[in-house]
Amino acid sequence: MRKKLTIAVAGTGYVGLSLAVLLSQNNKVFAVDIVKSKVDLINCRKSPLQDKEIENYLSEKELDLTATLDAENAYRRADFVIVSTPTNYDSDKNFFDTSSVEEVIEKVRKVNEEAVIVIKSTVPVGYTQSLKEKYGFENLLFSPEFLRESKALYDNLYPSRIIVGCEKGDEKSEENAEAFAGLLKDGAIKKDVPVLFMNTTEAEAVKLFSNTYLAMRVAYFNELDTYCEIKGLSSKDIINGVGLDPRIGGFYNNPSFGYGGYCLPKDTKQLKANYVGVPNDLIKAIVESNHTRKKFIAKEIMKTAGCTDGGDNSDVRIGVYRLTMKSDSDNFRASAIQSVMKMLSANGLNLIVYEPTLNTDTFNGYEVEHDLNAFKSKCNVIIANRYDAVLNDVKDKVYTRDLFKRD
């Protein structure tokens, strides 16, 4: 076992909290956040996120983990500082908003120039190298994460691969990268995890190209489903037949209203932006295909509800069952169903939302119904990106493209 180190993790979203839990099995970890309620929950060994593995580890395992609002003290004591703050895509600038990443780096440099900073937040290609040049700071690594919502800790315990970007040819940078990869391996349950070391820019590209490929698969099978709907064919039969080819496989093939969530929408747009000046057709088509799919879904819902473009649809009430993209997630940021809702609303339809994680009576101007039975009775049609057995009694009202009942 390696020497026990002190690690600070900036940000306690899915990436940060799962890493804090993973690494605190063998090291002293400070989980830094600016939200007191999250800090208090973690220190009470309760998860602020919907992730069963995180919940189990917090309540059952002996973890040397302290959540704190005191970033300066945590950074001052740290051997490694992991940056896992949000980097939302700014559509006006065609660029990730990386301001939170730089805020952390600047704070760390003021109190602890010896700390090795590892960026886990998703960033544009070439970003880490630009920071090295901007700050003249060499103790900077980039390590992409490959985590699923609601299964983040599981994916850290059983990683598909560990990738650490460093300054290849620089002995100290390579040593830091090997040390960080060793920390991740020590916390994992899976043995013989593939480990790759590369320059930071290549590591950043791996993240964006990986997620864009996954988005492409989602878009591909959604367009297959659109074709089948229009032509009156069985999407399920065709997808099963296609997926049995071992070169294609039976994953990421369940039709949906479109791809969404934390990563795929912003990562595909960022990669598209990085392609400026580079010939491409496929990358931009992936982004455009997702929008086309959502427009098709909105029209199909209107058809199901007996509505027409430009008609008086004010007496039609569409129920939205869950805003989340995945069945076990509590995240609905950038969910495809929200784009569909805007399209329906623009056509004069009334929407009612059932989302158990909301504690308000409205969401973005839409009515929220907290009682499931009342929700079912109020709606002419219920739309569900992912089907749930609680809708079985009103199945004839439900519009979904969830053919395989899985994410």
Side-chain angles (χ1 to χ4, degrees), residues 198-347:
M198 58 188 71
N199 286 320
T200 56
T201 302
E202 281 76 8
E204 292 160 348
V206 167
K207 170 65 175 179
L208 294 185
F209 275 104
S210 293
N211 274 350
T212 301
Y213 178 80
L214 295 177
M216 181 185 68
R217 278 193 68 105
V218 174
Y220 176 86
F221 284 103
N222 279 343
E223 287 206 1
L224 184 160
D225 182 60
T226 296
Y227 178 86
C228 292
E229 280 286 271
I230 291 174
K231 298 294 185 179
L233 306 177
S234 169
S235 298
K236 192 171 185 178
D237 285 348
I238 295 174
I239 291 171
N240 279 332
V242 169
L244 285 173
D245 187 324
R247 297 168 299 177
I248 298 173
F251 58 93
Y252 265 68
N253 63 356
N254 189 21
S256 65
F257 292 173
Y259 62 74
Y262 277 116
C263 295
L264 298 191
K266 67 187 184 77
D267 290 5
T268 51
K269 290 175 183 176
Q270 179 61 67
L271 186 60
K272 179 185 173 185
N274 274 118
Y275 259 87
V276 171
V278 179
N280 79 99
D281 290 309
L282 181 60
I283 302 301
K284 63 186 176 186
I286 294 167
V287 177
E288 292 163 5
S289 173
N290 202 43
H291 182 63
T292 299
R293 172 63 171 183
K294 289 183 283 191
K295 287 197 296 183
F296 170 76
I297 291 294
K299 287 184 178 180
E300 289 297 292
I301 293 168
M302 290 181 64
K303 188 189 301 182
T304 301
C307 302
T308 56
D309 287 335
D312 182 7
N313 302 314
S314 58
D315 61 339
V316 178
R317 291 196 286 188
I318 303 294
V320 179
Y321 179 77
R322 303 302 306 268
L323 299 170
T324 55
M325 288 299 300
K326 297 177 179 289
S327 55
D328 293 324
S329 174
D330 57 0
N331 164 55
F332 43 82
R333 185 173 71 185
S335 62
I337 202 167
Q338 292 190 63
S339 297
V340 173
M341 289 166 65
K342 289 178 182 177
M343 296 173 188
L344 295 174
S345 183
N347 279 281

Side-chain angles (χ1 to χ4, degrees), residues 332-378:
F332 43 82
R333 185 173 71 185
S335 62
I337 202 167
Q338 292 190 63
S339 297
V340 173
M341 289 166 65
K342 289 178 182 177
M343 296 173 188
L344 295 174
S345 183
N347 279 281
L349 283 73
N350 292 314
L351 278 73
I352 304 171
V353 176
Y354 176 78
E355 175 52 64
T357 64
L358 291 174
N359 55 14
T360 58
D361 293 329
T362 61
F363 173 78
N364 289 347
Y366 304 115
E367 175 187 348
V368 175
E369 174 56 66
H370 300 284
D371 183 273
L372 181 58
N373 289 325
F375 166 78
K376 292 175 181 177
S377 66
K378 285 181 177 181

